[in-house]
Amino acid sequence: MRQSKLLAPTLREAPSDAEAASHRWLLRAGYIRQLAAGIYTYLPLARRVLHKIERIVHEEMERAGAQELLLPAMQPAELWKESGRYERYGDELIRLKDRHGREFALGPTHEEVITQLAGDEINSYRRLPVTLYQIQTKFRDERRPRFGLLRGREFLMKDAYSFDEDWEGLNQSYRAMFKAYEAILGRCDLDYRAVEADPGAIGGEGETHEFMVLADIGEDRIAVCNTCDYAANIEKASSVNSDAAPPTITGSLITAPQPAQVQTPEVHTIDQLCDFFQSGPDHMIKTLIYTVDGLQSVAVVVRGDHEVNELKVATYLGVTEVHLADAATVEQITGAPVSFAGPIGLDIPVLMDRDVLLMSEGIAGANQVDTHLQSVIPSRDMVHAVAGDFRNVVDGDTCPHCGKGVLQLLHGIEVGHIFKLGTKYSERLNAAFLNRQGQRQPMIMGCYGIGISRLLSAIAEQHHDERGLAWPTSLAPYQVHIMPVSMKDTRQVELAEQLYAKLLECGVEVLLDDRDERPGSKFKDAELIGLPYRIVIGKGADQDLVEWLEHGMSDGEVISSQQAIDRALQLLHR
Ligand code: ATP
Ligand code: MG
């Protein structure tokens, strides 16, 4: 490709609201442009990278035995009503009407459509198992589109769905997809972890894993063990080693002093509490009031240095979600402003994190304005509370799996999600087949998503330096960048054209910077675009010498033009 013809408009600066490095570089290097919040145009360079990602995905799906199809993006609302998700999906679902006033939705995912199709077209166990997939544009009216392609409202996804006759079959289909995802992310040169995820209180029968690309900007937090291969989303990670002995309470509860009230005006935060009592946050008992599905209230109690894990609370209660109660509700329940809520004397259920139970004593809110309680002994004073694992894991927690290693918390970008659905959709949408005994039975399903456009950004997030993008060879839009320093120098131009023609002939993807620009701006653009190999043709052209540059090299290596060709072909296995 001749760069003079390429639509790759580079920018000197990224817009100030571009927070993620990948977002900034993709904009600056002329890969993407925003049309509206969370809606992007993929310019030619990005389209090429997407094609390469898609090719890898197609190859690995095929290897796993999946078949490609393409489902409609526009879907009748009735189908969504049948599955019960028309309401439940909420505002993320984009709804529209046709000219006859019939309601439709733009697919955020395709369980409904594919389940109906499978139910209509597959009637016998003989046609199972089958895994179907597509790569398609998805629509989700995200509350907070951000980080460029990482959280878009219109984005590309590979979604696959497996249909099996039994759970044994589903386990195999799931395993095959798990392996395919490992292969895809490995080929995309990503540092990632496959983590256990939480299936949520609803639809919770199935196992599920998320594939997390490690990056500071990642919106997910994951816990990984430094000794064994345990890795879990923080939503799911357990702070309790299931083999550990139950907590033992030591010390004499009878002789210990009773909780004593202390006046604490103006003490609102855990930090202020620590200052006031000259003690660490691990001596504080934090009480948070939650409302459950907008109706009931519960108190959740964790140590001052821990955070409540709302999903664990919801799962324990068997509900989908819990929400922090507003200030008025807290006052009504505790009789005191928010900062003075405490676990003793409440007449709502109290869930106490296990580590609170293990505290020999602590300081808690007194449910009275400007007052705290000292010398609270949870095992004595909070017998009314239910103890369990209700907190997020923290750095240094013992691994719940091996019991030896410690957990480390990392940030991740969820690029893939695989899920054992079971019969959740096949029952509702009547996707049944005749089993070996001749009986009708709902199909056992799995679903498997990978964000193709999110992957593009995630790769950029891990592959850039302070001057621009730095694509792995397998994904770069072009592999070799040829740059004659001066288009006015006929020898330079001639040599550049020769190299260009030869490499093209050998099947190498080459970008030739034939623009009549100042060398400084050509170099800057080359660094932004980030191709793996660069051949610079300058003054040495008279002696048939060129400069060879690879990512991370500050100075080029001077070699002959033939050596440059040989090297490119060797590195690219041509
Ligand atoms: P998130 O928690 O990030 O919102 P999700 O759980 O809603 O993700 P899934 O419904 O499992 O995501 O979708 C499958 C895959 O699609 C995700 O793993 C991700 O790679 C991609 N994806 C989901 N939402 C978006 C989005 N708004 N923009 C880009 N990619 C997305
Ligand atoms: Mg989402």
Side-chain angles (χ1 to χ4, degrees), residues 26 30 49 71 74 100 130 153 175-176 181 206 220 266 301 356:
L26 289 171
V49 182
L71 300 164
M74 190 161 154
H100 307 293
V130 62
R153 295 196 296 164
R175 203 58 235 154
Y181 276 40
D220 282 275
E266 303 303 317
V301 184
V356 174

Side-chain angles (χ1 to χ4, degrees), residues 55-56 59-60 63 182-189 474-475:
R55 166 117 55 88
I56 291 174
E59 285 172 8
E60 296 304 332
R63 203 192 305 277
E182 288 182 320
I184 291 166
L185 301 185
R187 288 177 68 183
C188 289
D189 218 347
S474 57
L475 298 168

Side-chain angles (χ1 to χ4, degrees), residues 4 23 37 70 74 85 87 123 128 156 161 177 197 234 249 298 322 392 479 512 518 535 541 569:
S4 57
H23 189 194
L70 186 56
M74 190 161 154
R85 288 210 294 182
E87 294 309 324
N123 301 314
L128 297 175
L156 288 166
Y161 306 88
M177 281 294 138
I234 195 166
I249 319 291
V298 294
V322 295
N392 283 334
Q479 296 147 343
L512 171 67
R518 283 180 302 108
I535 302 172
L569 296 183

Side-chain angles (χ1 to χ4, degrees), residues 140 142 149-153 155 157 220 414-417 449-451 453-454:
R140 293 186 186 180
E142 297 275 355
L149 306 182
L150 287 177
R151 187 170 295 287
R153 295 196 296 164
F155 58 96
M157 196 204 285
D220 282 275
E414 180 205 307
V415 293
H417 192 176
I450 255 192
S453 46
R454 184 177 280 188

